[in-house]
Amino acid sequence: MQGNVTFDPLAFAEPVLKPEIAEILDLENGEFLDVATFISRRRYDRLVAERVSIRENLADRPRFGCALCATPVYLVASREKRFFFRHCREDGSCPSITRSALGRDEIRALKYEGQRESLAHRTIKERVIRSLASDPSNSEILSEKQWRSTRDPASRRQPDVQALTVFGRVAFEAQLSTTFLDVVAGRRSFYRDEGALLVWVMAGFDPDYRRMTTDDLLFSNNSNILVIDEETTALSEGSGTFYLRSHYRVPELFAGVIRDRWESKIIAFRDLTTSFESQTAWAFDYAGQSEKLFAKEKEEVQRRDNDLRERICAFWMLRNQHTPDPLSHEETWRSLTRELSDCGVTPPTNDRYDRAVTGLMNGVLSAREKRPIGWDFKHLIEVAHRICDGYPEHALAMGFALRLYGCDELIAAQDKSGKWAKRARSIRDGIRQGDQRYLPDQDTLPFLTFAFPEVGANVERFLSSRLARSDL
Ligand SMILES: [Zn+2]
């Protein structure tokens, strides 16, 4: 192709195909921008105008820098009217030329260093220093000075700012979008070993536009993000107390599920809760509050379950099984089983409303009350025999209930002929040998476990150990 190409000024601009500088750094706000996207999203005529302004400000107030070396860059058009960025000084030192030989971590480290040079980073660093200096309880405020490990002089870090505060020596780091989790984690352990605190601060925070790198800080700091902005800095300078802003999540329970909403407040630095061990500094105790909510929710669930359990048993005790139940009874039972469903328990069903659980309720309740319930017997031992005759699938539950409710002596006293003792032994052997007749009923098990938790737990334990054995 020869000569200049004319280009439709209203069309979108096109980047060169393989730009040497693939990413640029917005020196104003510290954001990285993909060059191809940056160019192709702009209309040709507007980009040409922007190119002029980028060029004019290059010496005094550069707008963009190379993502890898932070050297200011300007926009150039090829003869084909395709655009790319070029360093303002081309001395061959920029690693972008040999970019392909760099590892991911090296590129990341270069970008991080570059970002530290951005105006955004310098601005927040200055605010941290101004805020610290305004409060006489802080001293020895140092900027970009090495912090040598007291244990291992070869190990060192260079925090943005460090100072002696009410919490001892504290390192302040301004969070940048390239501050990845490994950086966060590495620094955290360094300062923990030093018995010092590392506090991450941001220039601003919008809960709706969080980055992954912000989440790394958020979730490792008890869901609090600390911000030092112009307003808090002015407040610190006006009051002589170091203030900052904390954004934090407030947990709330809705129908057993935790939902968070965001709040923020301005708080004096000395009023933060800090921990060297977890390297945290926060205004609102998110973890503590959620735990409290969960405990409260658990208590409420237990109270609700206990109440329903008592009403189910009370209903059964008052039921007259000799005469047909009035319709109102059936309605009461239906409403109880609806409540059971709401508690997450599948109620067993049968053609007649109570048939599905008659044997189970009569048997276990009789053991609990140590007298026949539901059937017209005189002695508890008759109930035990009845269960084994008519409801062998509940024999195991009945056996556990007799033991758990302390009926052994009573049953022995009522078993004058020794018939029960013999039968119990033979059922035990049958169960051990896998007699299918005595296999506990799975359909009523959730109901049993809800109505009589200890009895149900024993049956469940039996079933799972049997399953484990059959797996072998
Ligand atoms: Zn470069």
Side-chain angles (χ1 to χ4, degrees):
M1 220 182 276
Q2 285 290 318
N4 283 353
V5 176
T6 47
F7 208 90
D8 175 4
L10 298 182
F12 283 92
E14 283 177 24
V16 297
L17 289 179
K18 280 187 179 164
E20 196 172 279
I21 298 174
E23 241 185 321
I24 51 170
L25 172 66
D26 184 328
L27 294 169
E28 194 78 28
N29 61 20
E31 299 286 327
F32 288 102
L33 304 165
D34 178 67
V35 165
T37 314
F38 176 87
I39 292 169
S40 59
R41 286 218 181 128
R42 278 165 171 74
R43 242 169 58 183
Y44 178 83
D45 58 342
R46 297 206 179 130
L47 189 65
V48 169
E50 206 167 347
R51 184 164 89 106
V52 175
S53 130
I54 291 170
R55 185 76 219 214
E56 277 172 357
N57 290 309
L58 193 61
D60 303 324
R61 204 182 148 81
R63 273 192 57 200
F64 301 109
C66 164
L68 297 186
C69 70
T71 300
V73 293
Y74 60 98
L75 196 56
V76 183
S78 73
R79 276 202 301 189
E80 292 79 29
K81 297 281 191 284
R82 285 173 175 270
F83 293 87
F84 62 95
F85 281 95
R86 185 180 277 160
H87 296 93
C88 70
R89 290 179 305 275
E90 238 14 300
D91 58 4
S93 67
C94 175
S96 68
I97 294 155
T98 51
R99 195 173 59 231
S100 51
L102 293 175
R104 202 169 126 259
D105 290 346
E106 283 171 296
I107 288 181
R108 188 185 276 184
L110 283 167
K111 286 170 74 175
Y112 178 68
E113 281 312 312
Q115 215 176 24
R116 284 165 75 99
E117 300 306 313
S118 72
L119 182 64
H121 188 240
R122 285 205 305 271
T123 305
I124 178 162
K125 218 168 62 188
E126 271 167 33
R127 285 189 193 132
V128 174
I129 294 168
R130 279 165 58 202
S131 301
L132 280 164
S134 68
D135 188 329
S137 64
N138 304 314
S139 57
E140 297 175 36
I141 303 162
L142 302 170
S143 170
E144 300 281 359
K145 284 280 179 306
Q146 278 194 357
W147 179 314
R148 276 170 195 280
S149 163
T150 44
R151 296 177 185 183
D152 172 15
S155 172
R156 65 200 126 181
R157 289 289 185 279
Q158 186 161 309
D160 289 330
V161 181
Q162 50 185 297
L164 197 57
T165 73
V166 288
F167 302 117
R169 195 138 200 91
V170 174
F172 292 88
E173 289 276 14
Q175 197 257 6
L176 305 168
S177 63
T178 37
T179 316
F180 291 97
L181 187 60
D182 47 355
V183 177
V184 175
R187 283 170 204 220
R188 196 187 267 282
S189 56
F190 175 86
Y191 292 105
R192 183 188 293 124
D193 291 347
E194 287 292 289
L197 186 66
L198 169 61
V199 173
W200 292 92
V201 293
M202 291 183 74
F205 176 69
D206 183 344
D208 294 332
Y209 295 98
R210 278 153 45 208
R211 303 159 170 280
M212 199 58 225
T213 47
T214 308
D215 280 357
D216 290 342
L217 291 189
L218 179 67
F219 297 123
S220 57
N221 194 40
N222 200 5
S223 287
N224 282 237
I225 287 284
L226 302 176
V227 165
I228 296 182
D229 53 28
E230 201 45 47
E231 189 191 338
T232 64
T233 307
L235 180 65
S236 302
E237 287 177 330
S239 64
T241 300
F242 175 13
Y243 281 102
L244 34 73
R245 191 187 306 274
S246 182
H247 293 263
Y248 48 85
R249 299 191 300 157
V250 178
E252 283 171 328
L253 260 180
F254 290 96
V257 179
I258 284 216
R259 273 194 232 148
D260 297 333
R261 72 190 148 78
W262 283 95
E263 279 187 16
S264 72
K265 71 172 172 193
I266 290 179
I267 181 171
F269 178 73
R270 59 161 183 254
D271 292 335
L272 291 173
T273 303
T274 60
S275 156
F276 294 135
E277 188 42 45
S278 61
Q279 288 290 306
T280 50
W282 41 265
F284 177 78
D285 186 7
Y286 176 82
Q289 184 63 21
S290 336
E291 232 165 80
K292 241 184 257 169
L293 285 177
F294 273 129
K296 206 173 137 228
E297 169 73 5
K298 209 175 146 194
E299 232 171 70
E300 268 164 28
V301 166
Q302 268 167 4
R303 198 175 306 131
R304 182 197 67 184
D305 287 0
N306 279 336
D307 171 70
L308 178 57
R309 196 171 290 138
E310 271 166 33
R311 281 185 291 125
I312 286 173
C313 291
F315 169 84
W316 205 267
M317 304 271 293
L318 284 174
R319 218 170 57 110
N320 186 338
Q321 294 181 41
H322 304 297
T323 57
D325 282 318
L327 273 173
S328 66
H329 269 206
E330 199 170 331
E331 199 32 63
T332 307
W333 183 251
R334 279 225 189 87
S335 104
L336 287 171
T337 54
R338 266 197 301 276
E339 282 187 62
L340 263 178
S341 294
D342 293 344
C343 295
V345 181
T346 314
T349 51
N350 203 285
D351 51 341
R352 222 188 89 105
Y353 82 93
D354 57 352
R355 194 165 288 156
V357 292
T358 299
L360 199 58
M361 284 303 280
N362 284 357
V364 179
L365 266 183
S366 299
R368 196 187 81 177
E369 300 299 311
K370 294 194 174 67
R371 63 184 171 88
I373 300 290
W375 287 312
D376 199 14
F377 293 128
K378 266 212 168 70
H379 304 293
L380 181 58
I381 195 159
E382 293 171 277
V383 177
H385 279 297
R386 176 81 182 89
I387 291 288
C388 295
D389 292 334
Y391 305 90
E393 73 276 20
H394 298 316
L396 192 69
M398 185 68 195
F400 284 131
L402 289 173
R403 195 198 304 155
L404 282 163
Y405 296 125
C407 305
D408 288 349
E409 271 178 48
L410 180 64
I411 288 284
Q414 291 177 354
D415 187 26
K416 294 207 173 68
S417 63
K419 197 178 141 206
W420 172 254
K422 212 176 140 199
R423 186 171 200 186
R425 225 177 1 257
S426 111
I427 291 175
R428 257 198 303 276
D429 289 345
I431 288 173
R432 211 169 286 142
Q433 285 150 22
D435 189 331
Q436 296 290 310
R437 277 178 304 168
Y438 301 113
L439 204 60
D441 177 36
Q442 297 274 10
D443 285 348
T444 47
L445 190 54
F447 175 82
L448 172 70
T449 302
F450 181 86
F452 306 97
E454 324 79 53
V455 180
N458 273 288
V459 174
E460 277 170 0
R461 210 170 303 134
F462 167 84
L463 282 171
S464 59
S465 70
R466 190 177 162 275
L467 200 67
R469 272 200 308 276
S470 69
D471 276 350
L472 287 174

